[in-house]
Amino acid sequence: ELERVQVDPTKGCSIAIKKKLEKVESSLARARSETRKHQQMYRKAEAEAQKCRALERKISDLKQGKVALMKKQREAAARHRNFMDAKTREIHALKKKERKVGQKVSKLEAECHKYKTNLERR
């Protein structure tokens, strides 16, 4: 190559420059290809990150829904328990009242029987 340059200095230089230019162009093309690949990978990663954030929001919403539902269930259970306690107290009060009425009736029946026997003696 050096001999050729000496024979025709313009030709040798231009070939060397062309080869160097081709190398530079090929490495530039590789760099552009790598850049495109990296940009594509970045866009993919960004899309995945967006999906991940959406799923995290969904999980957070579901957790809040679960907490709210559990609170409603506890409140419903407490209302039911209070209702049952009130009805149980009401039943006990009615039974007590029934016993008292029964005792009063028995007392009145005994008194009536006593008066009847006294009337019959006279």
Side-chain angles (χ1 to χ4, degrees):
E1 212 180 290
L2 197 54
E3 291 169 12
R4 275 189 270 147
V5 172
Q6 288 172 354
V7 174
D8 187 4
T10 57
K11 207 173 195 180
C13 283
S14 69
I15 292 173
I17 290 172
K18 279 183 184 176
K19 281 185 180 179
K20 202 156 200 150
L21 183 62
E22 285 173 4
K23 273 186 182 178
V24 168
E25 284 176 344
S26 109
S27 67
L28 182 62
R30 274 196 306 273
R32 283 183 178 146
S33 170
E34 286 292 317
T35 302
R36 276 193 299 275
K37 238 188 255 180
H38 285 123
Q39 285 174 344
Q40 195 176 13
M41 286 168 51
Y42 175 77
R43 282 192 296 272
K44 236 183 214 178
E46 194 63 37
E48 290 297 318
Q50 205 168 6
K51 281 183 191 174
C52 189
R53 285 190 292 272
L55 288 172
E56 284 173 347
R57 281 193 300 274
K58 193 171 186 176
I59 288 170
S60 176
D61 291 345
L62 287 171
K63 282 182 180 179
Q64 288 176 351
K66 180 183 173 186
V67 167
L69 185 62
M70 288 174 65
K71 185 179 178 185
K72 280 184 182 179
Q73 285 177 329
R74 279 194 304 272
E75 289 171 353
R79 278 195 307 274
H80 179 70
R81 192 172 43 254
N82 291 338
F83 175 78
M84 291 303 288
D85 290 346
K87 288 300 174 187
T88 302
R89 282 193 301 273
E90 189 179 337
I91 289 169
H92 287 308
L94 288 171
K95 283 183 179 178
K96 186 176 179 182
K97 190 174 182 180
E98 187 180 6
R99 274 194 311 273
K100 283 186 177 182
V101 167
Q103 287 172 352
K104 195 170 187 179
V105 166
S106 295
K107 188 177 173 185
L108 288 172
E109 283 176 347
E111 198 175 321
C112 184
H113 183 70
K114 182 178 150 186
Y115 285 130
K116 273 185 183 178
T117 55
N118 279 343
L119 282 174
E120 286 174 5
R121 283 186 198 157
R122 292 183 186 175

